[in-house]
Amino acid sequence: MDLKEKVLEYKEEVVKEIQNAIRVKSVKEAPLPGMPFGEGPAKALDHFMELAKKLGFKAEKFDNYAMHIDMGEGEETLGILAHVDVVPEGDNWEHPPYGGIIEDGKIFGRGTLDDKGPAIISLYAMKAIADAGIKLNKKVRMILGADEESGSACLKYYFGELKMPYPDLAFTPDSSFPVTYAEKGSIRVKIKKQFETLDAIKINGGNAFNSVPNEALGEIPVSLLENVKNMKKVEFLKEKEIYKIKSAGIPAHGAKPHLGYNAVSALFEVLKEMEIKNEELKGIVNFYDKFIKMETDGESFGVKCDDGETGALTLNLGKMTLENNQMEIWIDMRVPVKIKNDNIISQIKKVVEDYGYEFALHSNTQPLYVDRESFLVSTLMNIYQEITGDKESKPKAIGGGTYAKYAKNAVAFGALLPSQEDRMHQRDEYLEISKIDILLKIYVEAIYRLAK
């Protein structure tokens, strides 16, 4: 039996189930009793539980942190790591972000690429193998978490608190092809300050560490600004005694901030050109001008670096709030594999505290590195090359972080093909229906060869 042909029989169901999953809004919210990440992610886990059982699999949920879906038996386990949570949708979508609408041969919605679409495609690849009656030598376990986009507390709970066994080898369909053998370290910090004279000022922009803000809004009393003028992407509208400020950006994934245009940083680039009649606000503007600017490489913080193999450090200002005299800045850095995270943390901390602001380390995730000649990487590379015919692409290192870091002997494998537009974490995220054929073939072959 040719599994690559059999799995295509499920394509119509796959499309429908991706649409259904997208319609469950699963952005992290404040915790509720029994729902550590809020109602949306919990509902998404329930949705996948129902789907798994409908497809005939054993499934178990763990306190709305995570769940797993099992197929077959074996002393060893192949893991498929995916997540059901999504980043906030942001603004200015042309299609409803949670509608699962199909238009021009594309399924639109938050999570089509990252990561509900790939999770469902992988699940149906398991289904094809099960229905074919093929006995594998390893158990196949799909592990679905509900907090990947906000620090992966889900898998820390699953593997850490619950002591669930690690798969013997694993992949996550949560990046791009061909195979990601290395992931940079990740550092997330919050910079805070309590003020005394800024109660009439509001500035808000961005919504997550790992997204480039596409909008920033502000309110500043007219009496505090002079030399005000509208500039590129930043508008000032005078309403009575308040300037209403709107800054427009271009969203991008926080691991690739150079591909976006940061609305928060743009706003402060404009403010620095004005005369500011409040010393505390002037201090914030000076902080931005001295250390952040429009940079995405951390140069002014003194952390610019490159290890020669996995690339340069990236720095993304993902969120900034100033309200009720309280400021908070969220910064996400992706650190080359051969550079120690602790050195970067020490430098940023010194800069922030020397300026008089509070430094808070939100997370410190170590890098991932799997030998490019290993069975796992070489097998997945061979599958990708055979099915796509792409002999030129090589295993790669990325700045993005995936669940592979939280398992052992794990790598990211797809699901973004080189011919697809990368709309992850951006407005109008979509998956081309025509690409589902090749993705089904790749994942059914990957599961079969790794677990046979």
Side-chain angles (χ1 to χ4, degrees), residues 24 37 40-50 61-67 84 144-146:
V24 181
F37 313 118
K43 283 186 174 181
L45 286 175
D46 286 340
H47 180 86
F48 273 84
M49 280 286 292
E50 292 175 10
K61 188 154 60 87
F62 302 93
D63 306 320
N64 280 319
Y65 278 85
M67 62 174 288
V84 303
L144 295 170

Side-chain angles (χ1 to χ4, degrees), residues 134-237:
I134 294 173
K135 181 173 173 56
L136 302 174
N137 290 319
K138 294 184 180 75
K139 174 192 286 187
V140 179
R141 169 167 284 178
M142 175 177 281
I143 302 168
L144 295 170
D147 184 49
E148 194 272 347
E149 298 291 4
S150 301
S152 298
C154 45
L155 288 200
K156 293 173 186 175
Y157 182 81
Y158 179 85
F159 290 124
E161 295 294 321
L162 299 181
K163 307 297 183 187
M164 298 300 294
Y166 288 99
D168 295 277
L169 70 170
F171 67 83
T172 177
D174 191 25
S175 183
S176 58
F177 288 112
V179 182
T180 301
Y181 75 96
E183 297 179 9
K184 293 177 180 178
S186 172
I187 301 169
R188 291 177 173 177
V189 304
K190 294 182 178 180
I191 300 169
K192 305 178 181 181
K193 179 70 174 179
Q194 181 73 42
F195 296 100
E196 297 179 356
T197 65
L198 302 182
D199 52 298
I201 297 175
K202 295 181 182 179
I203 299 176
N204 291 282
N207 49 41
F209 278 105
N210 57 351
S211 293
V212 176
N214 71 327
E215 184 177 73
L217 302 174
E219 295 182 9
I220 301 178
V222 170
S223 61
L224 298 184
L225 295 179
E226 287 193 1
N227 304 324
V228 174
K229 58 182 176 179
N230 292 327
M231 299 177 70
K232 181 182 179 182
K233 295 185 179 292
V234 181
E235 297 179 350
F236 286 76
L237 177 64

Side-chain angles (χ1 to χ4, degrees), residues 81-334:
L81 312 173
H83 64 91
V84 303
D85 60 309
V86 296
V87 296
E89 64 275 16
D91 301 316
N92 302 317
W93 284 61
E94 294 184 9
H95 304 83
Y98 303 107
I101 300 297
I102 294 177
E103 187 174 304
D104 297 328
K106 302 169 183 175
I107 311 171
F108 285 90
R110 180 59 87 222
T112 47
L113 290 174
D114 183 17
D115 187 38
K116 293 176 181 176
I120 288 171
I121 291 169
S122 299
L123 184 60
Y124 272 89
M126 292 169 59
K127 172 69 171 171
I129 293 172
D131 286 353
I134 294 173
K135 181 173 173 56
L136 302 174
N137 290 319
K138 294 184 180 75
K139 174 192 286 187
V140 179
R141 169 167 284 178
M142 175 177 281
I143 302 168
L144 295 170
D147 184 49
E148 194 272 347
E149 298 291 4
S150 301
S152 298
C154 45
L155 288 200
K156 293 173 186 175
Y157 182 81
Y158 179 85
F159 290 124
E161 295 294 321
L162 299 181
K163 307 297 183 187
M164 298 300 294
Y166 288 99
D168 295 277
L169 70 170
F171 67 83
T172 177
D174 191 25
S175 183
S176 58
F177 288 112
V179 182
T180 301
Y181 75 96
E183 297 179 9
K184 293 177 180 178
S186 172
I187 301 169
R188 291 177 173 177
V189 304
K190 294 182 178 180
I191 300 169
K192 305 178 181 181
K193 179 70 174 179
Q194 181 73 42
F195 296 100
E196 297 179 356
T197 65
L198 302 182
D199 52 298
I201 297 175
K202 295 181 182 179
I203 299 176
N204 291 282
N207 49 41
F209 278 105
N210 57 351
S211 293
V212 176
N214 71 327
E215 184 177 73
L217 302 174
E219 295 182 9
I220 301 178
V222 170
S223 61
L224 298 184
L225 295 179
E226 287 193 1
N227 304 324
V228 174
K229 58 182 176 179
N230 292 327
M231 299 177 70
K232 181 182 179 182
K233 295 185 179 292
V234 181
E235 297 179 350
F236 286 76
L237 177 64
K238 186 176 178 181
E239 291 188 4
K240 297 182 178 179
E241 297 304 314
I242 296 289
Y243 281 121
K244 300 274 190 174
I245 311 167
K246 183 175 182 179
S247 175
I250 299 172
H253 194 293
K256 301 176 182 178
H258 60 285
L259 298 181
Y261 184 85
N262 196 305
V264 175
S265 296
L267 173 57
F268 280 91
E269 283 289 294
V270 172
L271 287 176
K272 77 177 185 181
E273 300 297 327
M274 301 175 185
E275 182 179 345
I276 299 171
K277 297 182 176 182
N278 177 285
E279 291 303 313
E280 289 186 322
L281 178 58
K282 188 183 297 184
I284 297 174
V285 175
N286 288 341
F287 179 82
Y288 268 82
D289 186 40
K290 189 172 183 179
F291 301 115
I292 299 175
K293 304 181 175 68
M294 295 293 293
E295 295 175 356
T296 59
D297 60 5
E299 181 175 9
S300 293
F301 270 120
V303 296
K304 182 177 180 179
C305 58
D306 190 320
D307 69 357
E309 180 180 357
T310 60
L313 178 143
T314 61
L315 185 149
N316 177 58
L317 186 150
K319 181 177 179 179
M320 189 273 183
T321 59
L322 174 61
E323 194 165 356
N324 299 322
N325 273 320
Q326 179 68 46
M327 180 193 74
E328 195 164 277
I329 300 168
W330 293 14
I331 289 180
D332 177 300
M333 290 168 284
R334 310 300 169 99

Side-chain angles (χ1 to χ4, degrees), residues 423-440:
R423 302 291 298 177
M424 297 183 197
H425 293 208
Q426 300 182 46
R427 66 174 72 98
D428 289 306
E429 181 181 346
Y430 70 85
L431 172 62
E432 295 165 84
I433 293 175
S434 63
K435 297 293 191 288
I436 292 176
D437 300 62
I438 193 167
L439 295 175
L440 283 167

